[in-house]
């Protein structure tokens, strides 16, 4: 083991309780409850760091098996803090605060060896910085996964499939219709058609702000998929502006039933499915 790493290990082993105390003090003024909550994380990370150094682990090769425990703790810290809405900076600062007790320990250990102190301090700085970089990378990946999952959940919520009547489903579209939403709509709608054995689906685009060639292509793909399942489709919400745009773009909707409102589409759906609604005077 290099003499600098040996010195770092010795500094971490010297009065563990004091190391953790100075580490947490370096984080600044925090509530007692918050301090008690993060203390086990500091103690666990310190223990694994000592084990890795005792196993002669090379700080420049953090992917080595000897660092596996340390990596897992850092990644768990980053993921949990990302889930709680904390920033990557807060997470890395927790690790960087370890420098203070580590530097203090090295100064005590190497007070009589000034020539060895500077290389040891540099090795300690490099080690802690690598640990902090690990937390930032994991934090960013965790946040990206959370954002992606939330986007998928929002897409699912924004494209509900509603059973309007026996054999009649409706999908109210709100917002911009892109490839991702079209895919989710098709998957959800086709699955619902199978589950309910429905024979007709209404796609309501009242909440779609504009219809261009790309949106029309997405609608046509959805209609084609519905028909392949043996069901029929009605598109409602064709406002005057949208009708003019469709004509101007030369989009061919022949063979597809269209209505101005969802109510009109439901009335047509009743005709197609053989239902008749009567009003008692």
């Amino acid at each position: 083991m290099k003499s600098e790493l040996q010195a770092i290990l010795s500094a971490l082993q010297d009065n563990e309780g004091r190391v953790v105390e100075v580490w947490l003090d370096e984080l600044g003024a925090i509530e007692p409850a918050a301090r008690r909550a993060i203390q086990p994380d500091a103690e666990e990370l310190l223990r694994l760091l000592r084990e890795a150094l005792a196993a002669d682990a090379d700080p420049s090769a953090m992917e080595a098996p000897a660092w596996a425990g340390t990596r897992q703790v850092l990644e768990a810290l980053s993921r949990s803090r990302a889930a709680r809405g904390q920033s990557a900076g807060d997470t890395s600062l927790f690790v960087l605060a370890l420098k203070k007790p580590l530097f203090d320990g090295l100064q005590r250990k190497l007070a009589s060896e000034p020539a060895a102190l500077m290389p040891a301090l540099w090795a300690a700085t490099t080690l802690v910085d690598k640990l902090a970089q690990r937390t930032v990378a994991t934090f960013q990946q965790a946040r990206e996964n959370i954002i992606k999952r939330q986007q998928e959940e929002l897409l699912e919520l924004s494209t509900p499939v509603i059973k309007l009547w026996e054999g009649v489903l409706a999908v109210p579209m709100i917002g911009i219709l892109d490839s991702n939403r079209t895919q989710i709509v098709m998957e959800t709608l086709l699955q619902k058609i199978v589950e309910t054995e429905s024979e007709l689906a209404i796609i309501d685009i009242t909440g779609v702000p504009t219809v261009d060639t790309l949106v029309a292509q997405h609608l046509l793909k959805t209609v084609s998929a519905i028909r392949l399942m043996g069901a029929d489709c009605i598109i409602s919400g064709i406002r005057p502006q949208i009708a003019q745009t469709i004509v101007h773009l030369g989009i061919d909707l022949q063979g597809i039933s269209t209505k101005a409102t969802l109510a009109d589409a439901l009335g047509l759906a009743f005709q197609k499915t053989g239902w008749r609604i009567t009003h008692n005077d």
Side-chain angles (χ1 to χ4, degrees):
M1 178 183 293
K2 292 182 179 180
S3 58
E4 307 94 77
L5 299 183
Q6 179 64 58
I8 293 172
L9 176 59
S10 179
L12 293 176
Q13 290 174 331
D14 185 19
N15 195 350
E16 176 186 342
R18 177 61 180 165
V19 171
V20 173
E21 182 180 350
V22 175
W23 183 356
L24 298 182
D25 288 343
E26 188 64 14
L27 293 174
I30 56 177
E31 296 293 332
R35 185 184 179 103
R36 288 193 298 270
I38 63 176
Q39 183 169 339
D41 295 332
E43 293 173 347
E44 178 68 4
L45 181 56
L46 191 61
R47 180 184 66 81
L48 292 168
L49 186 56
R50 289 200 310 269
E51 290 181 358
L53 291 173
D56 202 17
D58 183 0
S60 64
M62 279 289 173
E63 299 301 326
W67 292 105
T70 306
R71 291 197 308 271
Q72 290 173 2
V73 168
L74 292 174
E75 290 167 3
L77 278 173
S78 298
R79 284 192 291 267
S80 64
R81 294 184 178 213
R84 294 199 299 267
Q86 296 184 8
S87 68
D90 292 336
T91 307
S92 63
L93 281 176
F94 169 73
V95 178
L96 291 172
L98 175 59
K99 286 184 180 182
K100 180 64 166 62
L102 186 52
F103 287 2
D104 290 346
L106 288 173
Q107 287 178 327
R108 288 194 302 271
K109 291 290 182 182
L110 301 175
S112 60
E113 303 177 58
L117 178 58
M118 186 55 68
L121 290 175
W122 179 253
T125 298
T126 303
L127 172 61
V128 177
D129 286 347
K130 284 185 176 295
L131 297 178
Q133 289 171 2
R134 186 81 188 193
T135 65
V136 171
T138 304
F139 186 97
Q140 291 174 339
Q141 184 60 51
R143 287 297 299 167
E144 289 175 2
N145 292 338
I146 291 172
I147 292 171
K148 182 179 179 181
R149 185 174 67 251
Q150 290 175 340
Q151 289 175 335
E152 291 173 352
E153 291 172 352
L154 286 174
L155 282 174
E156 292 176 358
L157 290 173
S158 65
T159 53
V161 178
I162 304 168
K163 183 176 180 179
L164 293 180
W165 201 264
E166 190 66 33
V168 180
L169 300 176
V171 182
M173 303 295 298
I174 300 174
I176 298 173
L177 185 60
D178 57 17
S179 299
N180 290 334
R181 289 193 68 192
T182 302
Q183 186 63 32
I184 291 175
V185 168
M186 281 198 292
E187 291 176 358
T188 307
L189 182 54
L190 296 181
Q191 183 62 35
K192 201 70 173 179
I193 288 174
V194 173
E195 293 175 358
T196 61
E197 298 182 352
S198 298
E199 54 190 279
L200 199 147
I202 300 173
I203 300 177
D204 183 69
I205 61 172
T206 303
V208 177
T210 58
V211 173
D212 55 18
T213 304
L214 186 60
V215 171
Q217 289 175 351
H218 291 322
L219 289 174
L220 292 174
K221 288 179 181 178
T222 304
V223 172
S224 298
I226 292 171
R227 287 176 171 173
L228 287 173
M229 295 296 295
D232 200 359
C233 182
I234 302 172
I235 298 177
S236 65
I238 305 295
R239 304 185 300 278
Q241 300 90 332
I242 289 180
Q244 293 177 24
T245 301
I246 290 174
V247 171
H248 178 72
L249 294 174
I251 299 170
D252 185 9
L253 295 181
Q254 288 187 358
I256 301 175
S257 300
T258 59
K259 288 294 181 181
T261 66
L262 181 58
D264 293 337
L266 183 58
L268 178 60
F270 286 152
Q271 294 178 19
K272 287 178 172 288
T273 54
W275 289 91
R276 179 164 46 177
I277 308 299
T278 59
H279 181 269
N280 293 328
D281 295 331

